[in-house]
Amino acid sequence: MDIAAWLHGLGLQQYEQSFRANEIDAKVLPRLTAEDLKDLGVSLVGHRRRLLDAIAALGAEAPAVPVSMAAPDTPAPAEAERRQLTVMFCDLIGSTGLSSRLDP
């Protein structure tokens, strides 16, 4: 998604430089809040509202299929991975009596 073109389409191209300087892209855009927009220099309430409404509309237009879908010919990942594990067990003589006398 071209953020600059999106802003131009909204008539809010004056914020393009601020969005670029703060690396706002299609991944970040849906998570922007009114406070974030203030930090970006969007001082007018009407402009913030237009941006938030346009962001919400983008979410409504999102495809139902995930964007990061793997190609059909991609092999499935391995189901399990073997790893070496070391276990140590110590048995102390009288540990039962010791544990009943001391706080765990």
Side-chain angles (χ1 to χ4, degrees):
M1 170 185 197
D2 182 12
I3 298 295
W6 179 74
L7 286 169
H8 281 264
L10 294 172
L12 299 172
Q13 59 273 5
Q14 66 266 33
Y15 303 114
E16 178 184 345
Q17 184 58 37
S18 180
F19 274 58
R20 270 183 213 223
N22 288 279
E23 297 185 9
I24 305 300
D25 59 10
K27 291 180 183 178
V28 176
L29 195 62
R31 297 191 324 248
L32 287 180
T33 64
E35 283 300 313
D36 295 331
L37 293 174
K38 283 181 187 177
D39 292 342
L40 288 169
V42 183
S43 58
L44 298 175
V45 175
H47 287 183
R48 283 196 304 268
R49 189 72 260 158
R50 282 174 49 195
L51 284 166
L52 290 172
D53 289 346
I55 291 168
L58 287 175
E61 296 171 5
V65 178
V67 176
S68 63
M69 223 173 100
D73 59 342
T74 304
E79 291 188 27
E81 182 178 317
R82 291 186 178 262
R83 293 183 182 228
Q84 186 172 351
L85 175 68
T86 303
V87 177
M88 184 174 131
F89 177 77
C90 295
D91 187 16
L92 298 174
I93 297 174
S95 62
T96 305
L98 184 61
S99 66
S100 64
R101 287 183 300 197
L102 299 175
D103 186 9

